[in-house]
């Protein structure tokens, strides 16, 4: 279990060096939130690779933030949306789930080595904060990187644990490309569900050899459910932790319709579920992939309940963050394997 859970984030100086763009934004009075893999790795000790640095900014300051990062010596220029979030199948193949987001590329990285400047990010994605239902002015939902980082990073916001889950769940349930369309953006839904799994997985510390019990909670799961503050997050996590099932688009739409009409049952919305494992310290561990490609899920059937449990496919490697050269080599191998 130590291979998965005894991970420590990079040294504070390395983190400081990677956060140069966020300091530039805050120094220019443009508030911002560190998001996605960077926040998971630095704050919540998730051993994920770091790819595009994702930053949330106030909607009305999105263009301003992009201009700041393109000015002076920062050397970032606009580029195409990230391929790993693009829709893979159907009539919307290639469509981005982030229609208003702005992706920037550093001028000094070659096409075949996006990690050449590591720890400085080769790509940055600026998202409107409304995509995740967040507001930088709501200071109680965020925390600081200081300490352990240098005080110059004090204005950079990072989501508290419950805020992180709430923001990711908000995006899954309220994507800017909408769910009530013939072909919802499934690739983006799966990507953000993996982020949710990361956060839950590395806090609960599941045991990979044990299938989680349906309609029972482990102590840490009960704590997570008690911490989240939005109704949709309580409902979504209840499906994952109590019902032990994936959350499908049709179920999200049903929940939203019932919430809008006031017909949602108390059992469906309640987070007050029974925890019958007061002495348990761990719960089933789910192995989550660390590569940029979207991972499918395989269904595991609980023989006693016929409930469907989800277990993301095994990760490509259990290693923490690698050096720039190793990541570049891995990137080249992946491009050859998945052209």
């Amino acid at each position: 279990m130590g291979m998965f859970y005894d991970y420590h984030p990079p040294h504070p100086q390395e983190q400081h060096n990677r956060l140069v763009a966020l300091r530039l934004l805050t120094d220019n009075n443009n508030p911002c939130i560190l998001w996605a893999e960077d926040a998971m790795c630095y704050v919540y000790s998730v051993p994920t690779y770091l790819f595009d640095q994702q930053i949330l900014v106030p909607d009305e300051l999105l263009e301003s933030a992009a201009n700041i990062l393109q000015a002076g010596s920062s050397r970032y220029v606009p580029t195409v949306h990230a391929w790993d979030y693009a829709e893979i199948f159907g009539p919307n193949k290639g469509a981005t789930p982030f229609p208003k987001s702005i992706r920037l590329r550093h001028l000094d990285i070659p096409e075949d080595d996006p990690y050449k400047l590591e720890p400085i990010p080769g790509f940055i994605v600026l998202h409107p904060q409304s995509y995740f239902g967040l507001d930088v002015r709501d200071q109680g939902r965020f925390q600081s990187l200081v300490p352990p980082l240098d005080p110059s990073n004090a204005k950079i916001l990072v989501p508290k644990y419950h805020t992180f889950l709430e923001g990711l769940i908000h995006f899954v349930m309220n994507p800017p490309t909408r769910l009530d369309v013939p072909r919802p953006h499934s690739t983006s839904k799966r990507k953000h569900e993996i982020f949710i799994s990361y956060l839950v997985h590395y806090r609960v510390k599941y045991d990979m050899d044990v299938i989680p019990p349906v309609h029972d909670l482990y102590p840490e799961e009960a704590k997570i459910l008690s911490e989240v503050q939005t109704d949709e997050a309580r409902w979504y996590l209840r499906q994952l932790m109590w019902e032990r099932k994936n959350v499908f688009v049709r179920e999200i739409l049903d929940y939203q319709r019932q919430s809008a009409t006031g017909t949602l049952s108390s059992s469906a919305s309640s987070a007050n579920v029974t925890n019958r494992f007061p002495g348990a310290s761990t719960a089933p561990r789910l192995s989550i992939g660390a590569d940029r490609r979207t991972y499918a899920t395989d269904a595991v059937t609980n023989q006693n309940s016929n409930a469907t449990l989800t277990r993301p496919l095994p990760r490509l490697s259990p290693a923490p963050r690698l050096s720039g050269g190793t990541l570049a080599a891995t990137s080249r191998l992946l491009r050859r394997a998945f052209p």
Side-chain angles (χ1 to χ4, degrees), residues 294-335:
T294 300
Y295 291 83
T297 59
D298 63 316
V300 180
T301 302
N302 184 324
Q303 301 299 325
N304 297 323
S305 66
N306 294 321
T308 299
L309 312 174
T310 57
R311 177 178 296 161
L313 294 178
R315 62 195 297 143
L316 293 184
S317 74
R321 233 173 128 250
L322 303 178
S323 66
T326 304
L327 283 170
T330 302
S331 178
R332 288 191 287 271
L333 286 172
L334 287 171
R335 278 194 293 274

Side-chain angles (χ1 to χ4, degrees), residues 40-71:
M40 288 192 295
C41 179
Y42 290 177
V43 183
Y44 298 106
S45 298
V46 174
T48 177
Y49 296 110
L50 302 184
F51 305 106
D52 293 7
Q53 186 172 69
Q54 298 188 43
I55 304 171
L56 310 188
V57 298
D59 294 38
E60 68 276 12
L61 296 179
L62 184 66
E63 292 289 343
S64 173
N67 291 335
I68 290 171
L69 297 184
Q70 295 175 72

Side-chain angles (χ1 to χ4, degrees), residues 1-8 47 202 285 318:
M1 202 179 287
M3 177 181 293
F4 292 90
Y5 299 128
D6 292 342
Y7 173 74
H8 298 284
Y202 285 96
R285 185 177 74 217

Side-chain angles (χ1 to χ4, degrees), residues 41-319:
C41 179
Y42 290 177
V43 183
Y44 298 106
S45 298
V46 174
T48 177
Y49 296 110
L50 302 184
F51 305 106
D52 293 7
Q53 186 172 69
Q54 298 188 43
I55 304 171
L56 310 188
V57 298
D59 294 38
E60 68 276 12
L61 296 179
L62 184 66
E63 292 289 343
S64 173
N67 291 335
I68 290 171
L69 297 184
Q70 295 175 72
S73 58
S74 58
R75 298 185 61 76
Y76 282 98
V77 295
T79 189
V80 297
H81 290 286
W83 63 267
D84 58 326
Y85 280 91
E87 187 65 305
I88 299 175
F89 305 109
N92 298 322
K93 183 178 179 180
T96 177
F98 308 122
K100 293 183 180 180
S101 297
I102 299 173
R103 188 172 185 242
L104 304 173
R105 175 182 178 273
H106 200 287
L107 284 172
D108 293 337
I109 60 167
E111 291 291 341
D112 62 344
D113 190 358
Y115 304 102
K116 177 183 178 181
L117 302 179
E118 194 185 52
I120 296 174
F123 293 89
I124 292 173
V125 183
L126 298 169
H127 295 300
Q129 63 181 9
S130 63
Y131 278 4
F132 299 90
L134 301 179
D135 189 336
V136 295
R137 294 170 297 183
D138 192 355
Q139 294 290 314
R141 302 186 73 187
F142 304 98
Q143 61 191 60
S144 174
L145 291 164
V146 179
L149 269 59
D150 184 86
S152 61
N153 298 287
K155 293 182 180 180
I156 298 173
L157 300 177
V158 290
K160 291 182 177 179
Y161 183 83
H162 71 84
T163 303
F164 211 162
L165 284 176
E166 291 159 2
L168 293 169
I169 292 169
H170 178 88
F171 188 92
V172 169
M173 297 182 64
N174 307 276
T177 52
R178 299 175 55 179
L179 292 178
D180 58 341
V181 294
R183 292 292 185 95
H185 203 295
S186 59
T187 300
S188 172
K189 180 176 180 290
R190 288 193 297 270
K191 290 284 288 188
H192 287 84
E193 286 171 338
I194 288 174
F195 286 164
I196 294 168
S197 295
Y198 267 131
L199 287 172
V200 173
H201 177 106
Y202 285 96
R203 175 164 166 180
V204 178
K205 296 180 172 60
Y206 293 100
D207 183 343
M208 194 170 192
D209 298 322
V210 180
I211 293 178
V214 177
H215 295 171
D216 280 309
L217 288 179
Y218 287 86
E220 203 62 32
E221 291 176 323
K223 289 180 183 178
I224 293 171
L225 277 173
S226 71
E227 290 171 7
V228 292
Q229 299 176 8
T230 65
D231 289 339
E232 62 183 12
R234 294 188 190 99
W235 174 82
Y236 187 97
L237 291 173
R238 189 179 188 278
Q239 310 309 305
L240 295 184
M241 297 177 178
W242 182 249
E243 303 294 344
R244 306 292 182 187
K245 60 186 288 297
N246 279 331
V247 182
F248 296 99
V249 170
R250 67 177 180 274
E251 295 172 318
I252 295 174
L253 293 175
D254 285 345
Y255 165 81
Q256 292 172 338
R257 280 192 290 266
Q258 292 173 29
S259 295
T261 59
T263 57
L264 189 67
S265 67
S266 58
S267 61
S269 60
S270 175
N272 296 320
V273 290
T274 304
N275 169 22
R276 293 214 298 262
F277 291 88
S281 60
T282 61
R285 185 177 74 217
L286 308 181
S287 181
I288 303 171
D291 172 49
R292 293 201 70 171
R293 293 182 64 80
T294 300
Y295 291 83
T297 59
D298 63 316
V300 180
T301 302
N302 184 324
Q303 301 299 325
N304 297 323
S305 66
N306 294 321
T308 299
L309 312 174
T310 57
R311 177 178 296 161
L313 294 178
R315 62 195 297 143
L316 293 184
S317 74

Side-chain angles (χ1 to χ4, degrees), residues 7-45:
Y7 173 74
H8 298 284
H11 189 276
Q13 185 59 49
E14 183 177 342
Q15 297 183 42
H16 174 86
N17 293 342
R18 183 169 167 86
L19 298 174
V20 58
L22 288 94
R23 288 195 300 278
L24 185 58
L25 292 176
T26 57
D27 287 347
N28 283 273
N29 298 315
N30 197 317
C32 58
I33 303 166
L34 185 66
W35 197 247
E37 288 98 344
D38 286 65
M40 288 192 295
C41 179
Y42 290 177
V43 183
Y44 298 106
S45 298

